[in-house]
Amino acid sequence: MPRFLSAQPDSRLIALPWATPLEAWPTGLLVALPRGISRHVVRFIRVGDDVYAAKEVIEHLALHEYRLLHDLRRLGAHGVEPLAVVSGRTTATGEALDPILITKHLSFSLPYRSLFHSGVRQETVLRLIDALVVLLAQLHLFGFLWGDVSLSNVLFRRDAESFAAHLVDAETGELHDVLTKGQRMHDLTIARTNLFGEFLDLEAGGLLDSSLDPLALVDTIEKRYEELWRELTGAESFHGSEVGRIEGRVRRLNALGFDVAELDIRTSPTGDQIRIQPKVVDPGHHSRRLLRLTGLDAEENQARRMLNDLDTFRAARNLGHMDEAVVAHKWLTEVYEPVVAAIPPELRGKRDNAQFFHEVLDHRWYQSQEFHREVSTHEAAHSYVDQYLRALPDEAVSQESMVQVTQTGMTPVNPYDPSKGFAEDTDEMPIFDPWEESAEEVDLASANTFDIAALRAKAKGNQQ
Ligand SMILES: Nc1ncnc2c1ncn2[C@@H]1O[C@H](COP(=O)(O)OP(=O)(O)O)[C@@H](O)[C@H]1O
Ligand SMILES: [Mg+2]
């Protein structure tokens, strides 16, 4: 009899064929979805309308990962949601089988390989690295030593023009109160090694643009991480007459998506020197504010964009006197909901609602420029659906998405196990993605997607 460990028991799981090794589960129960490289047997299973990821792994690792994923979610980190560990499995002939860890499939998530099709831009690669670096810094702030940082252990979700990274594999992780510098550097070294291998692998498969050098790419990881960590935790000293710098620091952190829960401010005895250091920094500043105001759950940059649109709405309608929550409700019903309602049911799998809204706002801007007039959000939503959305690959859970999201036009040998590779190459064109297409070539050395320098310059300008 299998045993179920779960905080949210799902009775539909009981009927699944636990006495069969996961590798041999009937395909009728499985969903073919793109997946990263893994050590263990991992399958996506369909349970009613839900899709779960199942991983067959030895008992103590399954339990360890289940608990850690729970703890991380409680802390507010970006990671997949654990659902259950099924142990005590035996085959019909009495042979013992390893337990299965079940997590909820992260909707609209893309493994990194799906994002690299021929001609991927430098911009995109840098945005992926940035997303990974932000996730790593967040996890480190929570005291999580990952131990196996890699692109395969992360899932990416579109977040406005960037990506948001979510942790998927916590097997090697440890949760501490605070990490030492040595522990953080340990994770960075692992990140370097793993990503170098992953980039070489992409290069060998002809998926990495020839202008991208794996070594230069991994060098940027350390640089970006250091920059971000300094901004999040570094102490800053300045003259007593420059108190505006305190606000500047908070703004910069907010712009990077972090909330400052506490700021340690010390003044010298004469009061002419001030030293500040953020103490606790919580990620998800804009997402939390958006959730509070509208109940919408979005990634950080999507949320920031929506909040900007909300501000514009407030100014344009002259609603400055009205309570923020009331304005937010008006915006939700008069702007956001009609835009999302413009997505025909058959196209719902292309983008999640928040990302669609963001793309419509971009489209509206381009159209207004082109037509030399103010294009309404409603009009932009409909023309975006007709001109672009239809042609985009599905990114939600669907049988078709496997083949589409790989974007190479190749057919996998076993659609339920992408690690088996592709049947044969065809020369079908990759699917056109306007977001990839519009990404500009950037100079790796001068690229700075966090734009800390620009934020600094802006904050300085505000103070003068
Ligand atoms: N909850 C999930 N949602 C979406 N994809 C998942 C989920 N869990 C696992 N995957 C996919 O399966 C792959 C392997 O899972 P992982 O936990 O890294 O296994 P391993 O421990 O064998 O490396 C991941 O790279 C990811 O693409
Ligand atoms: Mg893994």
Side-chain angles (χ1 to χ4, degrees):
M1 256 316 258
R3 289 190 306 277
F4 292 79
L5 166 77
S6 176
Q8 312 154 256
D10 181 340
S11 58
R12 297 171 304 177
L13 290 177
I14 296 172
L16 294 173
W18 302 111
T20 310
L22 188 55
E23 204 161 18
W25 277 28
T27 53
L29 296 172
L30 306 179
V31 197
L33 286 171
R35 211 183 62 207
I37 299 157
S38 66
R39 261 185 306 268
H40 302 98
V41 177
V42 175
R43 292 286 184 272
F44 296 114
I45 53 177
R46 191 191 292 282
V47 179
D49 287 337
D50 295 313
V51 174
Y52 298 146
K55 161 156 110 174
E56 201 163 51
V57 55
I58 60 173
E59 182 144 2
H60 82 271
L61 288 182
L63 294 173
H64 175 72
E65 185 164 13
Y66 175 81
R67 292 194 184 117
L68 263 183
L69 287 173
H70 254 297
D71 290 344
L72 286 173
R73 281 188 77 80
R74 200 172 29 92
L75 289 168
H78 268 161
V80 296
E81 189 177 341
L83 195 78
V85 174
V86 184
S87 50
R89 300 168 59 219
T90 44
T91 63
T93 54
E95 214 178 304
L97 293 172
D98 283 330
I100 290 183
L101 168 71
I102 300 178
T103 52
K104 289 195 177 163
H105 178 262
L106 186 68
S107 58
F108 290 97
S109 65
L110 300 166
Y112 77 97
R113 272 186 157 269
S114 305
L115 292 159
F116 287 84
H117 46 92
S118 45
V120 75
R121 304 293 173 110
Q122 287 194 349
E123 238 302 283
T124 309
V125 183
L126 290 176
R127 284 180 291 162
L128 290 181
I129 292 182
D130 274 355
L132 183 73
V133 165
V134 170
L135 175 69
L136 189 60
Q138 287 181 354
L139 293 169
H140 285 172
L141 284 173
F142 289 132
F144 182 75
L145 179 66
W146 192 343
D148 196 9
V149 192
S150 73
L151 290 173
S152 300
N153 286 338
V154 158
L155 290 166
F156 293 96
R157 256 166 144 175
R158 288 187 192 278
D159 179 15
E161 263 106 54
S162 322
F163 294 98
H166 294 251
L167 170 130
V168 67
D169 188 347
E171 204 177 289
T172 47
E174 290 168 23
L175 206 49
H176 298 262
D177 284 341
V178 208
L179 294 187
T180 63
K181 178 145 194 234
Q183 286 172 315
R184 294 189 295 107
M185 293 305 114
H186 174 76
D187 258 0
L188 269 181
T189 311
I190 292 173
R192 268 191 81 96
T193 316
N194 282 345
L195 269 79
F196 187 56
E198 288 169 325
F199 286 133
L200 284 182
D201 187 46
L202 287 170
E203 198 176 52
L207 293 173
L208 196 66
D209 195 282
S210 57
S211 64
L212 294 170
D213 169 27
L215 200 58
L217 284 176
V218 293
D219 280 341
T220 63
I221 303 172
E222 235 164 272
K223 189 170 136 251
R224 307 252 165 171
Y225 175 89
E226 286 300 340
E227 272 174 1
L228 181 61
W229 191 258
R230 220 176 308 128
E231 195 66 41
L232 292 173
T233 61
E236 196 178 338
S237 294
F238 44 86
H239 196 260
S241 59
E242 301 174 285
V243 279
R245 287 178 63 170
I246 301 180
E247 200 198 327
R249 180 74 179 270
V250 173
R251 274 176 196 238
R252 260 163 19 225
L253 287 167
N254 287 170
L256 288 168
F258 289 86
D259 256 348
V260 182
E262 211 181 303
L263 206 55
D264 185 14
I265 304 176
R266 289 171 198 217
T267 23
S268 63
T270 50
D272 58 359
Q273 279 290 320
I274 298 180
R275 182 178 173 277
I276 54 168
Q277 182 164 29
K279 278 191 108 173
V280 189
V281 234
D282 280 340
H285 173 72
H286 300 97
S287 326
R288 270 200 300 277
R289 183 158 169 247
L290 183 74
L291 187 69
R292 202 175 59 237
L293 284 172
T294 63
L296 293 175
D297 198 0
E299 295 286 356
E300 187 59 18
N301 293 319
Q302 294 167 341
R304 188 202 324 234
R305 187 77 190 271
M306 286 194 236
L307 289 166
N308 282 342
D309 194 61
L310 177 61
D311 283 344
T312 315
F313 173 79
R314 186 182 192 139
R317 299 282 185 95
N318 232 333
L319 301 173
H321 57 284
M322 220 183 246
D323 184 74
E324 196 179 37
V326 179
V327 180
H329 182 73
K330 254 179 115 52
W331 172 86
L332 188 69
T333 50
E334 292 174 27
V335 181
Y336 181 80
E337 283 171 356
V339 165
V340 167
I343 313 176
E346 72 278 11
L347 302 183
R348 296 237 161 243
K350 305 284 183 188
R351 288 289 190 265
D352 73 359
N353 291 345
Q355 182 65 18
F356 175 73
F357 186 77
H358 161 80
E359 292 176 9
V360 166
L361 291 186
D362 269 0
H363 184 64
R364 183 183 69 186
W365 188 84
Y366 285 117
Q367 285 214 311
S368 302
Q369 296 291 307
E370 196 183 323
F371 304 151
H372 304 289
R373 68 173 169 86
E374 192 79 357
V375 171
S376 76
T377 314
H378 181 78
E379 187 184 343
H382 286 278
S383 89
Y384 186 70
V385 167
D386 292 334
Q387 291 181 23
Y388 293 106
L389 193 68
R390 272 180 217 291
L392 291 178
D394 261 3
E395 291 185 354
V397 172
S398 77
Q399 293 285 0
E400 293 74 36
S401 64
M402 167 69 203
V403 182
Q404 291 198 344
V405 177
T406 57
Q407 294 180 331
T408 51
M410 297 190 278
T411 316
V413 175
N414 175 354
Y416 304 101
D417 187 358
S419 65
K420 297 277 187 290
F422 295 100
E424 61 182 57
D425 292 8
T426 68
D427 42 17
E428 247 178 75
M429 285 293 287
I431 287 167
F432 172 73
D433 180 339
W435 304 102
E436 179 55 33
E437 206 64 16
S438 66
E440 282 172 26
E441 293 278 353
V442 287
D443 172 14
L444 208 65
S446 67
N448 193 343
T449 334
F450 290 140
D451 231 351
I452 291 174
L455 290 167
R456 281 208 177 106
K458 210 171 141 202
K460 219 168 162 195
N462 288 343
Q463 286 158 28
Q464 278 161 4

